[in-house]
Amino acid sequence: MFDGRAARVDEFEALTVRWRAAVDQAEMDEARRLGDEAVSLAAEIGDPALRRRAECNRAQILIELGEGDSVVASLRQVLTESREPETSFWTAYGLARAYDIKHETRKATFYVRLAKHHLSAVTNRQAHFAAHNQAGCMLLGDSRFEDASAEFETALSVGSSTFWEAFAQDNLGYCYVVMGRFAEGMSYLYRSLRTLRHAGHSYVRYPHLALSLAHLDLARPASAARHGRKALDLSNEAGDGESAKMALYLLGETAKHTGNYALARSYFDSLQARFYPENPRLPDALLTVDTRQMVNLKAQV
C-alpha cells in the first residue's frame, strides 16, 4: 500500500537538500523561498520535529536578511521544545547570530556557548564549521585577534562549502595581517578574493578591504589604493555603509601616506559628510593622526 505520509517526508527532505544548496551558495532569496515552502510542507505532514527543523532553517535566512527581530521569539520556543540535537544546535546558533548582529554581546555569547554544548551530539560538518566561525566572528569584532584566529583555523580544518570557507579565509587572513603575519594573511585573503570574485558576489568587497590595509601596512600605496577603490565601489553598489566607511578611511590614509594631502582630505571629507555629519572637524583630525592601530575593519559599530 502506498504510504502517502512517507512520500511527503521524502519530499520535505529533498526540499531541505535544495535549501542547503542555496545557503551554501549564499542565494538567500532562493533559500528564503525554499524555507517558506518547507515550513508549509512540515505543517501539512503534522510532524513536530520536521516543523521545528523547518522553522529553524527559515529563521536562519531571515536573520541574514536583516529580519532577525521577527524570529527571535519563535526560535526561543523551538529551543524549548526541541529534543533533536541538530535542530537545537541550529536554533541556538541562529539566536547567537541574531543577537550578534544587534550588538547584544552578552546574549550572543550565551547562545553561542549553548550552540557549542549541543554540538557534542551533532555529526554534521557544516554545524561544526558554523559554530567555530561564529565564535571567531564575535571574537574578531571584539579585537581578540589571536583567539579569533584559533576559531577560524578550527572552522577551516573542519571545512564547509567553498563559498562559506571564503568568508572564514577572509576573516583569518585579516587576523593574521593585524598580527603582523602578512605572508600567511595575504595568502588567505587572495584565496577568498578569487573564490568570491569567481562567484560574482559583491561580498568580494571584504577581502578587498583587508588587502587594502595589508598593502598600506607594507608600504605599497598603489596596491592599497587599488583594493580600496574596488572595495568602495562594491560597497556603494551593495548599499553597505559600514564597508564604504572603512574604504573611505583606508583610501584617505593611503593618500596621506603618499603625501597627497589634497586627495586624502577629499576622502576624509566624504567620510565625514556621509557618516559623521555631527563632527565637522574629523577630516582635520584624520589628516594629522595615524589611527590605523585603533581601527578594526571587522568591528560592527
Side-chain angles (χ1 to χ4, degrees):
M1 180 177 177
F2 179 72
D3 188 344
R5 185 180 186 281
R8 300 307 302 275
V9 172
D10 288 344
E11 183 183 351
F12 176 88
E13 296 297 347
L15 197 59
T16 301
V17 170
R18 292 167 57 200
W19 173 85
R20 170 53 60 189
V23 172
D24 285 347
Q25 296 301 315
E27 296 173 352
M28 293 303 175
D29 289 335
E30 175 66 3
R32 180 177 190 164
R33 185 188 69 78
L34 293 168
D36 288 342
E37 191 174 338
V39 168
S40 297
L41 182 55
E44 292 175 14
I45 295 170
D47 185 318
L50 294 185
R51 176 188 57 78
R52 287 192 288 268
R53 179 147 59 103
E55 288 183 1
C56 175
N57 288 347
R58 179 177 63 177
Q60 290 179 58
I61 305 306
L62 293 176
I63 289 166
E64 297 304 323
L65 292 173
E67 300 178 35
D69 285 345
S70 69
V71 297
V72 165
S74 63
L75 282 179
R76 286 178 180 156
Q77 184 64 33
V78 168
L79 191 57
T80 300
E81 297 174 356
S82 177
R83 298 297 180 267
E84 304 80 47
E86 190 161 333
T87 297
S88 296
F89 164 78
W90 285 114
T91 304
Y93 169 84
L95 286 164
R97 179 72 179 135
Y99 284 119
D100 186 35
I101 290 172
K102 293 172 67 178
H103 318 306
E104 296 187 28
T105 304
R106 183 179 60 82
K107 291 180 180 179
T109 300
F110 170 81
Y111 282 110
V112 83
R113 287 174 178 167
L114 184 59
K116 283 190 170 184
H117 169 75
H118 289 297
L119 195 63
S120 61
V122 176
T123 59
N124 183 344
R125 182 185 68 170
Q126 180 65 31
H128 285 260
F129 173 89
H132 290 290
N133 187 61
Q134 177 61 24
C137 289
M138 290 169 59
L139 291 164
L140 181 53
D142 200 32
S143 298
R144 295 171 58 184
F145 300 108
E146 291 191 12
D147 292 337
S149 67
E151 292 286 359
F152 294 129
E153 288 164 0
T154 301
L156 288 169
S157 72
V158 172
S160 180
S161 70
T162 301
F163 188 89
W164 290 103
E165 283 186 0
F167 283 99
Q169 289 165 353
D170 169 56
N171 286 327
L172 180 56
Y174 176 66
C175 286
Y176 282 166
V177 165
V178 172
M179 294 160 62
R181 297 165 61 176
F182 289 101
E184 296 168 281
M186 293 175 78
S187 175
Y188 277 111
L189 290 172
Y190 277 115
R191 267 187 271 175
S192 175
L193 181 74
R194 286 191 294 269
T195 297
L196 295 172
R197 185 165 56 194
H198 179 73
H201 278 280
S202 68
Y203 295 143
V204 74
R205 62 189 180 272
Y206 300 129
H208 274 304
L209 270 177
L211 284 165
S212 178
L213 175 66
H215 283 293
L216 178 57
D217 284 347
L218 290 169
R220 301 170 181 169
S223 295
R226 183 174 70 254
H227 285 289
R229 287 192 297 270
K230 191 67 177 176
L232 179 60
D233 290 343
L234 290 167
S235 298
N236 287 335
E237 290 173 12
D240 182 351
E242 288 299 319
S243 293
K245 182 193 302 182
M246 294 299 183
L248 285 167
Y249 168 76
L250 287 172
L251 286 166
E253 284 294 312
T254 299
K256 185 173 70 178
H257 282 76
T258 63
N260 192 338
Y261 286 92
L263 180 59
R265 174 170 284 280
S266 72
Y267 284 125
F268 291 147
D269 282 344
S270 294
L271 177 68
Q272 183 270 322
R274 287 180 62 178
F275 302 107
Y276 304 99
E278 76 290 349
N279 189 359
R281 300 181 64 181
L282 179 64
D284 292 330
L286 291 176
L287 283 169
T288 57
V289 178
D290 187 346
T291 59
R292 274 181 292 167
Q293 299 305 313
M294 300 168 58
V295 174
N296 180 353
L297 299 184
K298 302 293 185 176
Q300 295 182 339
V301 295

